[in-house]
């Protein structure tokens, strides 16, 4: 190994990344003689009875998690192909410089740790709610659930359409969790969140020196996904210049990093999502029709929450249980009238808006039950009062009480401000709610207004 210019091995790799720099002298020496498998091995042909390829084959059998980088003095294409077929992750020509070796080891170790973390997250997800963490029993949800079960085990490209907040990424993760490569990375990327000038480099990677600021080589998200899933969210926002490149990449299964002269194969499955009508975007000349057909091998539709109102009670209970842990609260449920308000709301922001509404209510409300007054409306959702009575007098009283609570919620719980908005005195507000006013409230009037009876 050639000497480097004073560089040393990073401490974070010591003892966990480098397994061996030479072969054992006898083939009978077991690869798994260590107490636990190594993360990385650098086999060298250095004994008469075995070679690096043999070590890789034996190592893959007994320690499939170990990554192998073949070190060889023979730089032929045949040697490289044999090493990769035997299970090597990469190969190097001897003599090897530390400057060349360290970046390769760094990328391999990061990949191993990413895959390990992804497996733990997948197991945690399945342990909590199964691979399909989709709460509800409505026909619309059951339809999408059955489609996910069919498409998940395949490697087909999938396009998920639906409004914002409907759980498109959750559907993509469920597809990934049911696939044969569920232990591989799931890599999400929001195409609308990355500047157009950087998007190509982020997706396909770049060579060192490819542009100003490219001080190191970057593999890009297509390769970072390995054999797992690359989730292209907001695909409808992809610039036209990159749409043509993506079409060719999907056809050829090859990418070309920025600044590179050669193409590189990738193995990730592509799942895309959009909240736009791509057919309308095609008519408007903003999306390529051929790319649409390439992406929509299987097209799924994430139903809006207004199409699955029956699922709202289950979703509310699900969010309360989860947020009880996060917020350190102990809510047991929702008051009957408040639940009717939640079910009747239009939910233009869909599941995301419902979750945010429940979280806000749990923060400002009082345990054990969420009340209608706790449901603070947003610019998109307005909770009208819901009446559960037939008698006219009782209905009027119930409406008045519910409306007052609704306005109090709009005023973030400030009853004095709510009374002003309603045009009544604060003491009248308490009386109409059937609550006993504070001592300093009794008899208080709004300026220029008599106390109401």
């Amino acid at each position: 190994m050639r000497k480097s210019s004073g560089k040393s091995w990073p401490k974070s790799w010591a003892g966990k990344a480098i397994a061996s720099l030479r072969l054992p002298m006898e083939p009978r020496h077991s690869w798994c003689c260590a107490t636990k498998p190594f993360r990385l091995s650098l086999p060298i042909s250095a004994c008469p009875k075995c070679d690096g390829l043999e070590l890789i084959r034996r190592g893959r059998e007994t320690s499939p998690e170990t990554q192998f980088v073949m070190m060889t003095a023979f730089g032929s294409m045949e040697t490289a192909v044999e090493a990769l077929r035997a299970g090597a992750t990469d190969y190097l020509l001897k003599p090897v410089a530390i400057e060349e070796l360290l970046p390769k080891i760094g990328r391999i170790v990061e990949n191993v740790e990413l895959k390990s973390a992804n497996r733990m997250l997948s197991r945690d997800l399945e342990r909590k709610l199964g691979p399909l963490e989709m709460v509800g029993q409505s026909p619309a949800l059951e339809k999408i659930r059955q489609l996910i079960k069919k498409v998940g085990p395949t490697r087909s490209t999938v396009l998920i359409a639906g409004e914002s907040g409907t759980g498109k990424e959750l559907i993509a993760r469920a597809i990934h969790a049911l696939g044969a490569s569920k232990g591989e990375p799931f890599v999400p990327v929001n195409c609308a969140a990355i500047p157009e000038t950087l998007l190509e480099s982020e997706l396909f990677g770049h060579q060192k020196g490819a542009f100003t600021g490219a001080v190191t080589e970057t593999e890009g998200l297509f390769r970072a996904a390995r054999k797992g899933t690359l989730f292209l969210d907001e695909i409808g926002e992809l610039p036209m210049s990159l749409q043509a490149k993506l079409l060719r990449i999907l056809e050829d299964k090859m990418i070309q990093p920025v600044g590179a002269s050669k193409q590189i194969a990738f193995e990730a499955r592509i799942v895309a999502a959009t909240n736009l009508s791509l057919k309308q975007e095609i008519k408007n000349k903003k999306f390529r029709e051929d790319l649409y057909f390439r992406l929509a091998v299987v097209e799924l539709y994430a139903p809006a929450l207004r199409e699955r109102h029956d699922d709202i009670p289950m979703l509310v209970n699900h969010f309360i249980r989860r947020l009880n842990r996060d917020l350190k609260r102990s809510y047991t449920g929702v008051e009957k009238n408040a639940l009717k308000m939640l079910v009747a709301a239009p939910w233009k922001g869909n599941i995301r808006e419902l979750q945010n509404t429940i979280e806000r209510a749990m923060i400002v409300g009082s345990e054990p039950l969420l009340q209608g007054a706790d449901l603070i409306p947003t610019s998109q959702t307005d909770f009208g009062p819901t009446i559960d009575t037939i008698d006219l007098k009782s209905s009027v009283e119930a409406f008045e009480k519910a409306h007052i609570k609704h306005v109090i919620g709009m005023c973030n719980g400030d009853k004095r401000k709510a009374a002003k908005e309603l045009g009544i005195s604060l003491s009248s507000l308490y009386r109409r709610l059937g609550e006993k006013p504070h001592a300093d409230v009794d008899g208080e009037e709004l300026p220029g207004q008599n106390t109401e009876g």
Side-chain angles (χ1 to χ4, degrees):
M1 186 176 295
R2 296 197 301 268
K3 293 182 179 180
S4 67
S5 54
K7 292 187 178 181
S8 59
W9 297 99
K11 292 182 180 179
S12 60
W13 298 342
K16 71 175 184 179
I18 309 303
S20 60
L21 295 178
R22 57 180 179 173
L23 283 170
M25 293 305 295
E26 295 293 338
R28 57 183 173 82
H29 289 168
S30 172
W31 166 251
C32 287
C33 59
T35 56
K36 60 180 180 180
F38 292 116
R39 294 192 182 188
L40 177 67
S41 175
L42 307 174
I44 303 173
S45 299
C47 72
K49 296 185 179 180
C50 62
D51 57 23
L53 294 176
E54 177 61 24
L55 176 60
I56 292 173
R57 294 189 187 96
R58 287 193 287 128
R60 296 294 293 174
E61 291 174 1
T62 56
S63 181
E65 296 299 316
T66 299
Q67 305 296 304
F68 295 86
V69 177
M70 181 71 179
M71 297 176 65
T72 176
F74 307 101
S76 66
M77 181 60 68
E78 291 77 11
T79 303
V81 170
E82 283 187 49
L84 295 175
R85 284 178 176 173
T89 305
D90 207 336
Y91 73 97
L92 292 167
L93 294 177
K94 296 191 294 182
V96 179
I98 293 295
E99 288 87 348
E100 182 182 5
L101 183 59
L102 290 183
K104 285 185 180 290
I105 292 177
R107 287 193 294 269
I108 291 171
V109 170
E110 287 173 5
N111 182 35
V112 170
E113 291 175 347
L114 179 63
K115 290 170 69 174
S116 176
N118 193 71
R119 281 193 296 271
M120 287 190 291
L121 287 173
S122 297
R123 286 195 295 267
D124 185 54
L125 178 62
E126 291 184 17
R127 183 170 61 252
K128 286 180 178 178
L129 290 167
L132 299 180
E133 187 194 0
M134 304 177 71
V135 179
Q137 298 177 338
S138 65
L141 186 64
E142 187 57 30
K143 180 180 179 180
I144 192 72
R145 189 181 278 122
Q146 292 303 319
L147 288 172
I148 291 171
K149 288 181 179 179
K150 291 179 179 180
V151 74
T154 72
R155 296 287 296 177
S156 299
T157 303
V158 180
L159 176 64
I160 306 169
E163 297 176 9
S164 294
T166 51
K168 296 187 290 294
E169 182 172 342
L170 183 62
I171 292 174
R173 289 184 180 276
I175 291 171
H176 174 76
L178 291 178
S181 301
K182 64 181 180 180
E184 297 287 334
F186 177 92
V187 179
V189 54
N190 189 327
C191 297
I194 303 174
E196 182 177 349
T197 54
L198 299 178
L199 190 55
E200 183 175 2
S201 172
E202 287 290 320
L203 291 175
F204 313 137
H206 62 257
Q207 295 292 303
K208 180 179 179 180
F211 51 84
T212 303
V215 295
T216 60
E217 178 184 341
T218 301
E219 65 177 357
L221 298 174
F222 268 81
R223 282 193 286 168
R226 306 297 184 255
K227 296 180 181 179
T229 300
L230 179 62
F231 177 54
L232 299 175
D233 198 9
E234 305 293 356
I235 190 69
E237 304 291 344
L238 196 69
M240 289 294 287
S241 59
L242 285 182
Q243 289 182 28
K245 291 185 178 181
L246 180 59
L247 175 64
R248 175 59 62 88
I249 285 169
L250 294 177
E251 290 174 344
D252 299 342
K253 288 290 183 180
M254 302 285 287
I255 61 171
Q256 185 167 347
V258 178
S261 58
K262 296 181 179 179
Q263 292 185 324
I264 303 172
F266 76 94
E267 301 179 87
R269 178 185 195 170
I270 304 300
V271 177
T274 181
N275 62 358
L276 302 176
S277 170
L278 292 188
K279 292 181 180 179
Q280 186 61 45
E281 293 295 292
I282 292 169
K283 290 181 180 179
N284 296 337
K285 307 297 183 182
K286 293 182 178 180
F287 201 84
R288 294 179 62 106
E289 186 175 31
D290 47 7
L291 177 57
Y292 167 76
F293 287 120
R294 175 63 64 177
L295 290 170
V297 175
V298 179
E299 186 168 5
L300 304 181
Y301 172 69
L305 190 53
R306 63 181 173 275
E307 299 172 33
R308 39 181 296 217
H309 275 281
D310 292 346
D311 291 334
I312 289 178
M314 291 183 66
L315 284 164
V316 169
N317 288 328
H318 167 68
F319 291 139
I320 288 175
R321 285 194 302 270
R322 192 167 73 186
L323 290 167
N324 270 335
R325 294 192 300 267
D326 297 342
L327 301 175
K328 303 296 187 294
R329 301 298 176 91
S330 55
Y331 284 92
T332 58
V334 184
E335 183 264 333
K336 181 179 179 182
N337 203 54
L339 184 59
K340 286 179 176 289
M341 293 167 64
L342 290 169
V343 172
W347 299 118
K348 296 178 183 178
N350 294 294
I351 299 172
R352 185 182 298 125
E353 185 188 4
L354 173 62
Q355 180 179 348
N356 292 342
T357 298
I358 297 302
E359 184 171 355
R360 283 195 300 272
M362 291 175 66
I363 292 172
V364 304
S366 300
E367 299 153 304
L369 291 176
L370 290 177
Q371 305 292 325
D374 302 329
L375 302 176
I376 303 172
T378 66
S379 59
Q380 288 188 306
T381 297
D382 184 28
F383 301 108
T386 303
I387 307 305
D388 188 23
T389 182
I390 298 176
D391 178 70
L392 179 60
K393 183 179 179 181
S394 299
S395 296
V396 171
E397 291 176 352
F399 180 91
E400 182 180 78
K401 193 172 185 177
H403 182 64
I404 291 173
K405 288 185 174 181
H406 173 59
V407 174
I408 291 172
M410 292 177 65
C411 296
N412 295 325
D414 187 337
K415 293 182 179 178
R416 193 179 303 274
K417 182 179 178 181
K420 186 175 181 180
E421 293 290 332
L422 289 163
I424 62 176
S425 68
L426 185 56
S427 59
S428 179
L429 180 143
Y430 275 99
R431 191 160 50 252
R432 291 166 189 263
L433 288 176
E435 298 178 5
K436 185 177 179 180
H438 301 298
D440 61 338
V441 171
D442 195 25
E444 181 178 333
E445 298 180 9
L446 288 176
Q449 186 176 13
N450 294 325
T451 306
E452 303 175 36

